[in-house]
Amino acid sequence: MASRNIPIKYTEIFINNKFVKSIDGKVFSVIDSANEQKICEVQEGDEADINLAVEAAKNAFRFGSPWRTMDASKRGSLMYKLVELASRDKDYLARLETLHNGKPLAESQADVEFSIGCLRHYAGWADKIHGSVIPSDGPHMTITRKEPVGVVGQIIPWNYPLLMTAWKWGPALATGCTIVMKPSVNTPLTTLHMAALSKEAGFPDGVINIVPGRGSTAGNALSKHMDVNKIAFTGSTAIGKKIMKVAAETNLKRVSLELGGKSPLIILPDADIDEAVSFSQDAIYVTMGQCCSAGSRTLVHESIYDEFVKKSVEAAKKAEDRRSI
């Protein structure tokens, strides 16, 4: 298990490569879910802080800026450097993830490795994104050119804080966008540490900005901001609907939504029953079932239904026995 004695290095808002306090001085408490004790206080961003972060991201994306004129291969090199730094700090990141999220350390360690792999994957794509030459009639040349969207707002949940950070950062940075991210108030610590690593890696001022805060204030301000060109959100279906509505009512910003749902497993008569039971239990119990792609439905053919249910009950009891040790 993770030690509770973990130094907390970063608790402030990250704008323009600097850690700063919130404009109105508000803070919120991050709670250790294992014992419900306060881990630390983090600066709470609001609309005014979002405005500053968006302005920084917009400035970093301006024509002629260091980020905008940077070679694509150099963007990839910066991302590879971030991968290197995250690998250096992976033990600390895993312990910190478990501290503020509550998941078992082994799961956090896996999440860190997946996060590093994700960023490494997108680093390799940075200089491999290109348009097409399209045949056209007459003495003409028709080409397409793929360009970055611009300022991207990103809102992530608490169940996979570090992995969600990597999933959101990876494609945005590889394509040359700038970022304003709002992590969950429950789990902002690993994202803030990654922000510090991005500065150490050499990303220019304003490319990555982190504003911890509440969805009803900071999240809403980010979703409706007229200078944000895209919102990427992972969370509930209800909030996803609100974000889509706000995006449409403002500047018709692009929207990517990863929402909750039901993910069925289908068990057919020729399946290995023992293996199917094991897979179905892993699918629903991972992260205590708090996963948007959890296998929360299991559809079993009637000819093997009774046997499957019996073995599933036995497996669940064994899992409960292990948890009580």
Side-chain angles (χ1 to χ4, degrees):
M1 64 183 294
S3 168
R4 316 321 293 175
N5 299 317
I6 302 172
I8 308 301
K9 300 177 182 179
Y10 306 107
T11 60
E12 295 181 319
I13 295 169
F14 186 77
I15 298 176
N16 249 348
N17 269 348
K18 295 183 178 68
F19 283 101
V20 297
K21 297 189 181 302
S22 60
I23 290 177
D24 63 6
K26 289 195 298 186
V27 298
F28 61 86
S29 296
V30 178
I31 304 299
D32 184 339
S33 58
N35 56 25
E36 298 186 341
Q37 299 299 307
K38 183 169 74 173
I39 298 171
C40 63
E41 290 184 339
V42 171
Q43 295 291 312
E44 180 177 337
D46 210 328
E47 183 170 5
D49 305 283
I50 289 290
N51 290 341
L52 285 180
V54 171
E55 184 62 30
K58 182 181 177 182
N59 186 57
F61 191 72
R62 76 186 189 283
F63 285 113
S65 71
W67 182 246
R68 201 66 187 276
T69 57
M70 184 179 293
D71 290 340
S73 60
K74 174 63 174 176
R75 286 203 308 271
S77 295
L78 288 178
M79 294 182 70
Y80 280 125
K81 180 62 176 178
L82 180 60
V83 166
E84 178 185 320
L85 295 173
S87 298
R88 180 197 69 190
D89 290 359
K90 66 180 182 179
D91 292 336
Y92 173 78
L93 283 166
R95 291 163 57 219
L96 188 62
E97 190 84 326
T98 285
L99 179 65
H100 71 173
N101 172 274
K103 65 175 62 181
L105 182 59
E107 288 192 22
S108 292
Q109 289 168 332
D111 287 353
V112 171
E113 294 296 342
F114 290 143
S115 301
I116 290 169
C118 174
L119 290 171
R120 183 183 293 115
H121 170 83
Y122 282 107
W125 270 106
D127 60 355
K128 300 173 185 66
I129 302 168
H130 53 77
S132 304
V133 177
I134 303 169
S136 58
D137 294 342
H140 310 291
M141 175 176 286
T142 304
I143 63 173
T144 61
R145 172 185 167 92
K146 294 184 178 179
E147 296 187 345
V149 168
V151 179
V152 178
Q154 302 176 338
I155 303 173
I156 60 173
W158 50 267
N159 54 347
Y160 291 90
L162 187 60
L163 191 55
M164 290 290 174
T165 298
W167 285 358
K168 295 289 190 284
W169 284 15
L173 295 174
T175 53
C177 296
T178 58
I179 293 168
V180 178
M181 173 173 277
K182 189 204 81 64
S184 167
V185 292
N186 297 310
T187 53
L189 301 179
T190 44
T191 300
L192 289 173
H193 189 82
M194 288 296 291
L197 295 186
S198 74
K199 179 179 180 179
E200 185 178 349
F203 282 87
D205 293 355
V207 172
I208 296 173
N209 306 275
I210 310 298
V211 183
R214 305 187 186 280
S216 58
T217 52
N220 183 58
L222 187 58
S223 299
K224 72 181 184 180
H225 203 293
M226 295 295 290
D227 289 328
V228 171
N229 304 104
K230 175 173 179 168
I231 284 285
F233 170 76
T234 299
S236 73
T237 302
I239 299 301
K241 290 179 179 179
K242 291 182 179 180
I243 287 175
M244 182 173 283
K245 183 173 184 289
V246 168
E249 290 175 343
T250 52
N251 59 341
L252 282 175
K253 58 178 63 68
R254 296 166 173 83
V255 178
S256 295
L257 302 175
E258 182 190 7
L259 310 178
K262 291 292 183 181
S263 305
L265 300 175
I266 301 175
I267 316 299
L268 299 176
D270 61 347
D272 180 319
I273 300 296
D274 293 328
E275 187 176 37
V277 167
S278 177
F279 272 120
S280 68
Q281 302 246 321
D282 288 344
I284 191 60
Y285 289 150
V286 67
T287 318
M288 294 71 72
Q290 298 161 140
C291 174
C292 59
S293 58
S296 51
R297 290 180 180 178
T298 305
L299 308 179
V300 184
H301 192 276
E302 60 184 357
S303 65
I304 58 171
Y305 178 83
D306 291 338
E307 182 183 4
F308 184 89
V309 170
K310 179 182 177 181
K311 290 189 173 183
S312 292
V313 171
E314 291 171 355
K317 287 181 177 178
K318 289 179 181 178
E320 181 62 31
D321 290 342
R322 288 196 299 272
R323 285 194 291 270
S324 65
I325 295 175

